[in-house]
Amino acid sequence: MERNKIVSQHYFKLIAASLLVGLSSALLAFTLKHLTEYFEHLLFKTVSNWYTPAFILLPTIGITAIYFLRKYVFQNRRNKGITEIYKTLDQRKDHLPLFKIPSHFINGFLTVIFGGSTGVEVSTVVATATIGNYAYEKEFSARMYKRELICAGVVAGVAILFTSPLAGWLFALEVIARKMRKSLIISCTASALMSWGFIELFDSETILHRPVQDWTYAAIPCFIILSILGGTLSVYFTLLVTRMKKLFSNISNNFIRVNLGAIAVGTMIYFFPTLYGDSYHGLREILSKPLVVPSISLFFLLAVSILKPLAASLTLGAGGDGGVFAPSIVAGAFLGLMVAFLGNTYFNTDLIPVNFALIGAAATLSASLYAPFTSVVLICNLLPSGYQLFLPILACCFISYIVAKLILPYNVYTYDFYLSSKTSP
């Protein structure tokens, strides 16, 4: 009886702490998301209207600022992405230091607004995980609940970024916790409920605005082809990220390392402005156009789907902050639009472009994260009525996931941790 009472008290403390962590993480994610969106749009429009060659130098400004902040403010302590969370969970004596909150917040913000071709998702995930770790260190709940509070922070961060508490809940359990137990479900659910309330009150607008249309069984063969291509694209992205990090870590001259990657990214942005920042703006623009010649070209769709992972890899290699979320979504969406364009233009099919953009984004993200369930829910919440495509998205996420595992039988984060431990100074 006494033991049951103690357990109940622990759970009550865990729920209270998870709600507090969820609220704090929601505020952080909301602030980073909207500040980044505002300044990214402002800088992009200003340069577009003023002097487009300036795009070549903009990423250098952001990544150079990050370099000096890291050196003089954060005392040469590096950010290593989600692998930092894995390390602190797997080695319980290690903690996420509190500086990770401002470091990832500022670095993610500077990377994206100056055109670095990633997104703020991973910056948000690590910063919100640090909030959960801090709550654990301050003993806001029982000392056994470190993983639970870290996951509570991650739930809220992802939920706010994608206006989907369920996506945050699944991501925390599928990708971060990598296990299931009662206490994890309690903490993640409490944080998801807090995030849901926050979204309903302050931020329910989806990233994309074009509604999906009904799909037909005739499109299934094309969905399967797209899934295989999406899995292959994710492997290409994974290899680019790991190879670029290794390549740039071998460059001892800081000036060369920063400028080599940043100017390469800026040059790609100059020729393909869609690659600027997280590229959601470019995806919205392309979805608003008819997918026919001459308003769009096959070369453009192919170029963006291939160059977005390359630009993201160069951004990360040069020292920018970010991860695979936005690049995978955007590259996959353009891949899906390319498949629809090919089918409609050359094979007289009647494929619906927005549906294929969503399927392509889901397939590529699922294979990149090795998280099919998270990817299904997250992509369905990118735009209104996305759940009309739930079944094909679910099937395509698992197909691409299997394809990626067959081609590259290890997880991007596991391999990234290996490289980080071998190459970081």
Side-chain angles (χ1 to χ4, degrees), residues 143-200:
R143 293 291 291 176
M144 66 186 77
Y145 293 139
K146 181 177 183 178
R147 190 178 298 264
E148 284 76 2
L149 293 179
I150 285 176
C151 286
V154 170
V155 167
V158 174
I160 298 303
L161 290 180
F162 294 99
T163 60
S164 173
L166 181 56
W169 191 90
L170 286 168
F171 179 81
L173 290 173
E174 190 176 15
V175 179
I176 302 301
R178 297 163 294 167
K179 60 178 66 178
M180 186 81 71
R181 61 186 181 218
K182 185 178 179 180
S183 56
L184 276 168
I185 294 174
I186 289 173
S187 63
C188 290
T189 302
S191 182
L193 289 172
M194 175 62 74
S195 305
W196 173 78
F198 192 96
I199 289 168
E200 289 297 312

Side-chain angles (χ1 to χ4, degrees), residues 83 89 101 272 288 357 413:
T83 56
L89 290 177
I101 297 175
F272 297 95
S288 67
Y413 298 111

Side-chain angles (χ1 to χ4, degrees), residues 60 247-248 251 254-267 314 318:
T60 297
L247 173 66
F248 278 84
I251 301 174
N254 294 320
F255 178 83
I256 294 175
R257 182 174 65 249
V258 168
N259 285 280
L260 181 65
I263 291 176
V265 173
T267 303
L314 287 166

